[in-house]
Amino acid sequence: MILGVYADLHANLPALHAMQVAAGSVDQWVALGDSVGLYPQVNEVLNWQRLNNVLYVRGDHEEALMEGGGLAGSFTGTESLSKQAKVISKDNLGMLSAISDTCNFESNGIRMCVTHFLTPESRKTESKYSIDLSLLEKRYQKYDYVFFGHTHLPTILYGRNTVFINPGSAGFPVDVERRCSMVVFDTCNRRFELIRFDYDISTLIETIEMAGYNKKLIAYVRNEHRWI
């Protein structure tokens, strides 16, 4: 089975289109949370995930959208989610209410765990990037691979028995390369590849302007995915 694994798309529809092209043929898409928030096209992205039976777990942006709360330390993110709460469709709201924090599945004898938060502590801003491999190996000892998101940083950690993979952000990159990324995983051969891709930023900027979202998002996109 060929898995297309991505995280932190953040309602970036042009990036979703570019990711599909970059990934090629995929048997099962896996979304590691935060497909909503920040950018405007929340229904378009969630419609695609729902219609394509994407394996989808909950991130902090999904939690905030469902619970009606904000995001600590992110005025722009909170503002975007407030707008999305007013336009999200009933079908997509129903999908979000059904997804869980984690999902475990098996393919070709490979035991996998899918989650947004690698540890409960990573929900806290000050612990978001803290990784203790020895503790993670104990927590996930029954899995061969663990896929996680949240940090927006592509990461591959090789434990003694478990491989931990963060595909980076498919829609809101913040790492040094400032390019969107995802992972294609061939479960038959146990091979995975981190794929970088670009998308049509002009279309995204036009969408942000038309939707009346915070202009800081436009500045971020125009400034090669860097906050100003």
Side-chain angles (χ1 to χ4, degrees):
M1 177 182 286
I2 305 297
L3 303 178
V5 185
Y6 63 94
D8 301 284
L9 180 59
H10 288 297
N12 187 338
L13 187 64
L16 172 59
H17 292 326
M19 180 179 70
Q20 291 175 260
V21 174
S25 179
V26 167
D27 298 313
Q28 175 67 60
W29 288 98
V30 180
L32 308 176
D34 282 7
S35 292
V36 305
L38 292 176
Y39 294 130
Q41 292 177 292
V42 60
N43 279 314
E44 291 86 345
V45 165
L46 293 182
N47 286 345
W48 181 85
Q49 291 191 172
R50 183 165 45 82
L51 295 173
N52 285 277
N53 297 312
V54 175
L55 194 161
Y56 186 16
V57 293
R58 188 190 311 266
D60 48 316
H61 283 250
E62 281 86 9
E63 288 178 352
L65 180 59
M66 292 294 294
E67 295 170 4
L71 294 166
S74 178
F75 173 81
T76 303
T78 298
E79 185 180 55
S80 295
L81 287 168
S82 177
K83 289 179 179 292
Q84 291 181 6
K86 296 175 182 178
V87 301
I88 189 169
S89 71
K90 290 183 178 179
D91 286 339
N92 288 329
L93 201 59
M95 178 180 68
L96 291 185
S97 66
I99 62 177
S100 60
D101 291 339
T102 61
C103 180
N104 309 320
F105 69 107
E106 186 172 321
S107 175
N108 296 108
I110 300 175
R111 300 162 301 171
M112 290 171 278
C113 177
V114 172
T115 184
H116 186 70
F117 302 103
L118 192 56
T119 66
E121 294 76 20
S122 65
R123 291 173 177 267
K124 302 176 182 179
T125 302
E126 63 270 19
S127 303
K128 186 174 181 178
Y129 305 105
S130 298
I131 293 178
D132 186 325
L133 186 56
S134 62
L135 291 178
L136 291 176
E137 286 191 299
K138 292 177 182 178
R139 177 183 293 275
Y140 295 102
Q141 59 184 320
K142 64 181 180 180
Y143 301 105
D144 301 302
Y145 290 85
V146 175
F147 297 96
F148 67 103
H150 193 44
T151 69
H152 293 223
L153 302 177
T155 306
I156 300 172
L157 300 172
Y158 292 92
R160 286 167 297 198
N161 300 302
T162 307
V163 181
F164 300 86
I165 301 175
N166 186 326
S169 176
F172 203 91
V174 301
D175 69 298
V176 66
E177 287 199 28
R178 305 289 171 167
R179 296 180 68 206
C180 295
S181 59
M182 55 89 64
V183 163
V184 171
F185 182 38
D186 182 343
T187 63
C188 293
N189 298 309
R190 294 199 176 207
R191 293 179 181 175
F192 57 86
E193 179 185 5
L194 177 71
I195 297 176
R196 296 278 188 174
F197 60 92
D198 300 305
Y199 66 93
D200 185 354
I201 65 171
S202 61
T203 299
L204 179 62
I205 289 172
E206 182 180 351
T207 302
I208 295 170
E209 291 176 331
M210 291 180 62
Y213 274 47
N214 198 312
K215 291 184 178 180
K216 287 183 179 180
L217 292 168
I218 296 175
Y220 163 82
V221 174
R222 284 181 172 158
N223 195 39
E224 298 180 341
H225 300 108
R226 290 175 172 84
W227 289 113
I228 295 178

